[in-house]
Structures are given as structure tokens and as C-alpha cells.
Amino acid sequence: MNKKMTIALIIGSLRKASINRQFADYIVSQLPKDVAVTEVNIADLPLYNQDYDDHDIESYTRVRTQIGKADAVLIVTPEHNRTMPAALKNVIDIGSRPYGSSVWMGKKVAVVTASPGTYGARSSGLDVRKSMQMLSAEMMISPEVYLGHATDSLDEAGQVSERTQKFLQKFVEGFVEFAGR
């Protein structure tokens, strides 16, 4: 009997009307039916502080458990000031602690970035990769997704354009293969 694949989804934007959430929703809708997705809520996390390593903080335990149980993690994120958003960096740090108990060790991780700007939040994506590689996560290398002028890929109803759908479908296929290895 084959185990159902599980994906932890982390959206780096906290905005309700986030374009990254719209792209994440589209990607999730294209995953095979036998893939379960759990969104990791990062909005309620206190800023990481090493003093908390000896305390049971429910939200820290929740995200560590969600990430730890997943076969792979999909991060969909914008860029804030040429790097990843603070909320995303916070969950990465929380998952890496306490020392010796990182949930990122050997975890398969893919990152998708989107921005209204020209470069598609590329700096953010590269910084996520840099942090994850340092934490010994297994990063998906290809296909890379840095969606520049991302608002042009969404219509007024928030639907992803046909051209971008084709591009994201290649990512979905690659991600499912990567996560299933």
C-alpha cells in the first residue's frame, strides 16, 4: 500500500490579498489528488529567541510538527527589501532549533517567488535557498520559478493566465517527482 504524499505549504506573505497566495493556491490545485497539503500558518509565531528553546511554545511545536511530518515543503514567497520576508525567516529559524533537532535536515524543499517587479523576487528565492542549504535541506534545483511582473499573470478575478499555467504545470510535475524520490 502506497503512503499518501504530504506537502507542507509555507506562504511567505502575510497579506490577505497576496499574489503569492494566489499562485500557491493555483499550484496546490494542480497537484495530483493523492497529494495532501497542509498549510503552515506563520502569522501567529512569536519572533524566534533562543531563550524559548527550553520552553513549550504551542505555535513553535505546531509548525515543527507540520514540517517534520511532511515529505516535502513548498515555499511560495515575495521579496521584502531584496531578501525573504521576516515572517518566513522566522519560521526557518524556528524549524532549525533547538540545536540538534532541526526539522530541515534532509527535508525536500522547493521555493517559488512572485513579485510585481521585474526580477520576480529572485533575491528572496536565492536567500531562502542559501538558508536551507546551510540547514542541510535538499533543495529542488530545477525548474526554478521566479515570477516577475506577476500581477500581469493574474486576471481581475485572480485567475492565473494560460501562459503562466503552462509554466507552473512544468514546476508542479517536477516538484511531485522531486518530493516523491
Side-chain angles (χ1 to χ4, degrees), residues 74-174:
L74 172 60
I75 298 171
V76 184
T77 187
E79 182 173 288
H80 291 179
N81 300 315
R82 295 273 168 110
T83 191
M84 71 181 92
L88 177 56
K89 178 67 167 94
N90 192 42
V91 74
I92 290 170
D93 290 345
I94 290 166
S96 74
R97 302 296 296 188
Y99 181 78
S101 300
S102 174
V103 297
W104 300 115
M105 178 76 68
K107 186 64 64 182
K108 295 177 181 182
V109 179
V111 62
V112 170
T113 64
S115 169
T118 302
Y119 300 110
R122 187 174 296 136
S123 292
S124 176
L126 294 173
D127 284 348
V128 170
R129 288 174 180 273
K130 180 174 63 178
S131 289
M132 287 297 167
Q133 288 170 333
M134 196 287 304
L135 295 170
S136 298
E138 184 181 341
M139 290 303 301
M140 181 172 155
I141 303 301
S142 179
E144 291 182 303
V145 178
Y146 306 109
L147 296 170
H149 302 288
T151 50
D152 295 343
S153 294
L154 297 168
D155 65 20
E156 291 176 11
Q159 300 300 308
V160 177
S161 71
E162 186 176 329
R163 179 174 179 256
T164 304
Q165 286 178 18
K166 289 178 185 176
F167 178 65
L168 290 176
Q169 187 58 44
K170 289 178 186 173
F171 169 80
V172 168
E173 291 166 6

Side-chain angles (χ1 to χ4, degrees), residues 49-68:
N49 179 330
Q50 192 172 358
D51 292 342
Y52 297 160
D53 286 355
D54 296 328
H55 297 84
D56 185 26
I57 297 176
E58 186 280 325
S59 60
Y60 281 19
T61 301
R62 174 183 47 80
V63 299
R64 289 173 179 146
T65 300
Q66 288 175 312
I67 294 166

Side-chain angles (χ1 to χ4, degrees), residues 9-25 39-44 76-80 85-88 114-117 150-151 154:
L9 171 65
I10 299 174
I11 300 172
S13 175
L14 302 181
R15 290 186 62 226
K16 290 178 185 169
S18 166
I19 60 173
N20 282 274
R21 176 167 296 285
Q22 291 171 289
F23 288 113
D25 289 346
E39 183 175 343
V40 178
N41 177 13
I42 65 174
D44 66 340
V76 184
T77 187
E79 182 173 288
H80 291 179
L88 177 56
S115 169
T151 50
L154 297 168

